[in-house]
Amino acid sequence: MGAYDAELGAAVERAQRGDEVAFARVYRLVHPGLFGYVRGLVGDDAEDVAADAWLEIARDLGRFRGDGAGFRAWTATIARHRALDHLRRLKRSPRTSGIEQDALDLPSGQDTAAEALESLSTERTLAMIRGLPREQAEAVLLRVVVGLDGPATARVLGKRPGAVRTAAYRGLRKLAGRLAQGGVGR
């Protein structure tokens, strides 16, 4: 995500100086992945939770320090906190957690997360991911939907990279097994 993160970093810098067009660009670059992540955590309440997250992001933008990749991790952390707050209010637990880069680099081209997830619709994909245990689901969401690297994912989740790597591997294996069996309900 080199060029993407460079463009994002430059837009964030301009937005921090008050450039509204740059903030709109930041939003367009980050929101789709962030919204997918939030939707994977809270389901149909994602629009409200994402809106709350963006209010906090806009309010605290001047305090952010870092590059484009760091900004994506920072926004994912804020969105995660808003989603977990929302779930606590609803008195239910989230269905998601962490992942490491090498878990996505599975040996066979047929087993890669990208190929598996690209072959499904967004809604079906999110339903399958929500069906994973919490630790595995959130790892897949942060890595595949938000596009964070392994160390950033571990930081967002407050876990050690080894725990994230294990959760990711198990989650991707379960998704691959469900795809091989033909669907969500298995």
Side-chain angles (χ1 to χ4, degrees):
M1 293 218 166
Y4 168 84
D5 282 335
E7 179 184 355
L8 178 58
V12 168
E13 286 180 24
R14 291 191 315 273
Q16 287 176 315
R17 293 191 301 265
D19 184 334
E20 292 179 20
V21 172
F23 186 82
R25 182 68 183 144
V26 167
Y27 180 85
R28 283 192 303 276
L29 288 169
V30 174
H31 184 69
L34 197 67
F35 182 76
Y37 174 55
V38 171
R39 187 165 183 107
L41 294 173
V42 302
D44 292 336
D45 295 333
E47 285 188 35
D48 291 337
V49 173
D52 288 345
W54 276 105
L55 286 172
E56 186 172 339
I57 291 163
R59 183 193 72 206
D60 295 342
L61 182 62
R63 295 184 208 166
F64 171 75
R65 298 290 175 262
D67 59 6
F71 186 78
R72 285 186 297 114
W74 183 70
T75 59
T77 300
I78 290 170
R80 182 174 193 259
H81 289 155
R82 296 295 66 77
L84 294 176
D85 288 347
H86 176 77
L87 292 169
R88 275 188 219 98
R89 283 192 299 274
L90 295 177
K91 299 204 185 274
R92 66 178 193 222
S93 57
R95 299 284 311 177
T96 52
S97 205
I99 197 163
E100 183 64 46
Q101 176 62 41
D102 59 348
L104 289 177
D105 296 334
L106 298 173
S108 167
Q110 295 176 338
D111 292 335
T112 65
E115 286 182 23
L117 294 176
E118 284 175 8
S119 70
L120 302 171
S121 72
T122 300
E123 288 304 314
R124 184 168 174 221
T125 299
L126 291 174
M128 287 182 75
I129 292 171
R130 277 193 301 269
L132 293 172
R134 177 182 173 190
E135 298 77 27
Q136 297 168 12
E138 198 164 4
V140 172
L141 288 167
L142 286 170
R143 292 288 297 132
V144 177
V145 178
V146 177
L148 297 182
D149 65 12
T153 299
R155 284 191 301 275
V156 168
L157 297 174
K159 295 185 177 276
R160 290 177 294 130
V164 171
R165 191 171 30 253
T166 299
Y169 175 76
R170 290 178 179 161
L172 292 171
R173 297 247 327 155
K174 282 184 184 175
L175 284 175
R178 288 178 184 166
L179 286 170
Q181 293 175 1
V184 176
R186 300 187 201 242

